[in-house]
Amino acid sequence: MEEDESTPTNHIKKSDSHLNLPPSMNRPTVSLETRINRLIDSNHYHSPSKPIYSDRFIPSRSGSNFALFDLASSPNKDGKEDGPGSYASLLKNALFGPETPEKRDVVTGFSPSRNIFRFKTETQRSLNSFLPFDSDESPGVSQSPVKLPRKIPRSPYKVLDAPALQDDFYLNLVDWSAQNVLAVGLGNCVYLWNASSSKVTKLCDLGGDDSACSVSWALRGTHLAIGTSTGTVQIWDVLRCKRIRTMEGHRLRVGALAWSSSVLSSGSRDKNILQRDIRSKEDHVSKLTGHKSEICGLKWSHDNRELASGGNDNKLFVWNQHSTQPVLRYCEHTAAVKAIAWSPHLHGVLASGGGTADRCIRFWNTTTNTHLSCIDTNSQVCNLAWSKNVNELVSTHGYSQNQIIVWKYPTMSKLATLTGHTFRVLYLAVSPDGQMIVTGAGDETLRFWNVFPSPKSQNRESEIGALSFGRTTIR
C-alpha cells in the first residue's frame, strides 16, 4: 500500500489559519488510513525527517483483528524478509519448535483470531512447556535431588559395662564434660572415661558408708561436683584428681546438681535447693523452698537467668537468680518431674517430662508464662535433652518400653526410636559436640548413640562415633 503524502492546498491553509502557525512550522497533513497503516507497520515505516515515537503500549499486533477496520497488513515493499523479524522467528523456532496454533496459544496466551482485549481463563503451564527441548532430561538444565530424611543408626556404636550403676529414678549419675570426659557414679565410687582415648580413671572412693547420688561438670569441664547420700557436696579438680572442697547444708541425699558459672545449685531429698557460690567461704548463699517432696531435676537456662526444678511432688518450678520462692509454678504433671531441658534455640522455652503415672512431655514458655503443648509418650519419661545443632530433642523412657526417642520440634514427629536397654533408661548425657548421647540403665550398661547431626554437615560422621565398636567395661 502506497502512502499518500499529498493533501489539498486549501486544507493546509485552513489548518494553518486555525492554528495560527508560522509558515516555517507547516507540516503536511496525513490521512487517517495512512496513520493507521503506519501504526500497524511501524517496523517498516520510517519518517524521512525523524523517528516516530508511540505514546501507547500495544501488547501484540498479531492478535489484532484488522478486519474491524477493513484493513490488511502491508507487505514488504521490496519483497525481502525483514531482518529483525526473521531473527525473532528463527529464535522462536529454535526455542519452541515450529509454530503451531496450539503452541502459539501456550506461548502468547491467545491466537491471532482473538481480539486483544478479550478476557480468557489463565491455564496452568508446566515448566517443561518453556524449555527448548521436549525430553525430560534437557541438557544444561540441572534438577536438584530430593533431600532424604537423615538416617539415625538404630544400634549403639559403643557399649560400656557399668557394674553397680543404680536403678533409681531420682538420681543423676552420668554427665559429659566440655573436655570430652564422661563421669559416672558407680556405687560409692566415681569413674572418669575419656571419650577420645577410652582411658578409664577412678576419681574417688567415698567409703562404705557413703555413695554417689549425682555428678555434674562445671562449664569448663575441669571441676566435678559430686552429691552424696549423706547430704554433702564435694568439688573435685579432675586434672589433679584432688578434692578441693566439701560443702554441707543438706540433711538427706543430694540427687540433683546444676552449674551456672561459679554458682552450683544442689537439690535434696530434704525438699530444699541450696545455692552455692564456690568463691564464697560459706557453704551456701541462699536456700530455695517450695517443693513438698524430693528434688530430682535441676537445670539452669542457657543465659543463666532462670533455674528450673522438678520434684517428686509432681511440680515444676522456675526461679530467677535472686528469688527464694518460685516465680513460676506449673502443676499439670501427675507424676514426679525429673526430665527437664531448656531449648538452646528458642529463648524461654522449657521442656519437662513426667513419671509413670503421667508419661507426658510438656512445653512451656517462661517468658510469657504459657503452656505451649503436650504429648503423651505412653511411657515413663526419665530424661530430656535438646540438640544444640538442630531443633530436635531426645527423651529416654522407663516403664514400660525402656526406649529412646528422637523428636523433631515443634511438630514432635518421631525421627527414631532406639531400643537395647533392658531396664529403665534413667541416665542421659550429650557429648560436647552435640552429636552423640550416652544412656545408662539399671541393666548396668552405658550405651553410646549417634543421634544428632554436626553443625556443619548432617551426614558427616563424628570422630567419637568412628571409634572402635564393641563392649568394654568402665572399671
Side-chain angles (χ1 to χ4, degrees):
M1 178 185 297
E2 295 183 358
E3 298 170 353
D4 188 350
E5 297 284 347
S6 63
T7 56
T9 306
N10 58 352
H11 178 75
I12 297 176
K13 290 180 180 181
K14 184 177 180 181
S15 176
D16 291 345
S17 62
H18 177 71
L19 296 177
N20 196 20
L21 297 175
S24 59
M25 297 183 63
N26 290 344
R27 292 179 296 179
T29 312
V30 183
S31 65
L32 176 61
E33 182 177 355
T34 302
R35 291 178 182 178
I36 294 175
N37 288 336
R38 287 181 180 179
L39 291 175
I40 296 172
D41 298 329
S42 59
N43 291 333
H44 306 280
Y45 174 81
H46 298 281
S47 172
S49 59
K50 58 181 179 179
I52 296 176
Y53 297 98
S54 175
D55 61 347
R56 69 197 68 185
F57 172 73
I58 300 177
S60 176
R61 295 188 182 91
S62 62
S64 301
N65 191 351
F66 299 124
L68 295 176
F69 302 96
D70 196 21
L71 297 174
S73 177
S74 61
N76 222 339
K77 296 180 180 180
D78 52 4
K80 297 181 180 179
E81 290 185 345
D82 179 67
S86 301
Y87 175 76
S89 177
L90 291 174
L91 181 61
K92 184 185 295 186
N93 290 339
L95 290 176
F96 301 105
E99 185 173 346
T100 62
E102 292 79 5
K103 284 192 175 183
R104 187 184 302 115
D105 287 346
V106 171
V107 177
T108 65
F110 50 83
S111 65
S113 61
R114 301 177 185 173
N115 294 334
I116 295 177
F117 301 108
R118 179 178 178 181
F119 289 96
K120 70 181 184 67
T121 303
E122 185 174 355
T123 57
Q124 189 73 20
R125 289 171 286 176
S126 65
L127 179 63
N128 291 334
S129 65
F130 296 98
L131 297 179
F133 302 95
D134 292 335
S135 62
D136 293 335
E137 297 180 358
S138 304
V141 180
S142 60
Q143 298 179 357
S144 57
V146 179
K147 187 177 181 181
L148 299 176
R150 187 177 79 255
K151 291 185 178 180
I152 299 176
R154 296 305 195 266
S155 301
Y157 66 85
K158 194 173 188 65
V159 179
L160 294 178
D161 285 326
L165 184 61
Q166 297 188 58
D167 183 27
D168 193 327
F169 178 81
Y170 302 98
L171 306 186
N172 294 274
L173 294 173
V174 177
D175 197 20
W176 208 329
S177 79
Q179 303 296 326
N180 207 19
V181 177
L182 191 70
V184 184
L186 299 177
N188 54 8
C189 297
V190 175
Y191 290 86
L192 306 179
W193 181 74
N194 190 308
S196 300
S197 63
S198 296
K199 180 182 178 181
V200 177
T201 303
K202 183 179 179 180
L203 179 65
C204 66
D205 188 335
L206 301 176
D209 297 333
D210 206 352
S211 63
C213 295
S214 56
V215 294
S216 180
W217 287 100
L219 300 182
R220 294 183 179 179
T222 57
H223 291 79
L224 180 70
I226 302 173
T228 69
S229 60
T230 58
T232 63
V233 176
Q234 300 182 7
I235 308 295
W236 284 76
D237 183 343
V238 298
L239 299 179
R240 297 183 295 165
C241 289
K242 181 180 179 180
R243 184 179 62 188
I244 59 178
R245 189 167 182 178
T246 299
M247 294 179 287
E248 312 253 346
H250 289 297
R251 294 178 290 104
L252 300 173
R253 70 179 184 182
V254 180
L257 296 168
W259 285 90
S260 169
S261 185
S262 60
V263 175
L264 174 64
S265 303
S266 59
S268 170
R269 181 178 270 183
D270 65 10
K271 311 171 189 176
N272 297 322
I273 300 172
L274 298 182
Q275 304 283 55
R276 310 173 186 272
D277 191 334
I278 61 175
R279 301 168 299 183
S280 174
K281 293 181 180 180
E282 289 78 16
D283 284 345
H284 63 274
V285 295
S286 64
K287 178 187 291 187
L288 312 185
T289 58
H291 282 286
K292 304 301 181 184
S293 189
E294 180 174 10
I295 284 81
C296 50
L298 276 180
K299 285 290 169 58
W300 278 96
S301 62
H302 295 280
D303 58 6
N304 294 326
R305 293 183 177 181
E306 294 179 302
L307 174 67
S309 63
N312 196 30
D313 55 1
N314 310 342
K315 302 295 190 297
L316 173 67
F317 292 161
V318 178
W319 322 70
N320 63 30
Q321 294 170 304
H322 308 292
S323 66
T324 57
Q325 295 291 320
V327 295
L328 298 175
R329 300 170 183 260
Y330 300 122
C331 306
E332 281 77 0
H333 285 292
T334 58
V337 182
K338 177 190 178 184
I340 299 174
W342 292 90
S343 170
H345 310 287
L346 301 170
H347 177 72
V349 173
L350 175 65
S352 60
T356 306
D358 183 80
R359 307 176 304 179
C360 292
I361 299 175
R362 297 179 181 271
F363 295 91
W364 320 84
N365 188 324
T366 61
T367 303
T368 59
N369 190 21
T370 54
H371 182 207
L372 299 177
S373 61
C374 174
I375 182 170
D376 190 347
T377 66
N378 298 312
S379 187
Q380 178 188 39
V381 184
C382 301
N383 293 279
L384 288 169
W386 291 83
S387 166
K388 66 179 182 180
N389 302 331
V390 289
N391 201 11
E392 299 172 4
L393 70 159
V394 60
S395 60
T396 69
H397 299 268
Y399 303 123
S400 60
Q401 301 178 40
N402 305 329
Q403 79 274 40
I404 303 158
I405 302 177
V406 183
W407 308 85
K408 181 71 175 178
Y409 187 81
T411 61
M412 291 305 288
S413 57
K414 291 184 182 181
L415 299 179
T417 299
L418 312 176
T419 57
H421 286 289
T422 56
F423 280 62
R424 296 179 296 173
V425 188
L426 298 177
Y427 310 110
L428 170 69
V430 183
S431 64
D433 64 4
Q435 300 180 64
M436 310 295 160
I437 63 170
V438 58
T439 56
D443 57 10
E444 298 186 344
T445 63
L446 296 174
R447 297 173 184 266
F448 295 80
W449 314 79
N450 186 345
V451 296
F452 295 130
S454 67
K456 295 182 180 180
S457 172
Q458 295 190 5
N459 297 320
R460 192 188 67 180
E461 289 189 1
S462 168
E463 295 179 359
I464 302 175
L467 293 176
S468 60
F469 290 74
R471 184 163 180 157
T472 58
T473 181
I474 199 171
R475 71 174 188 181

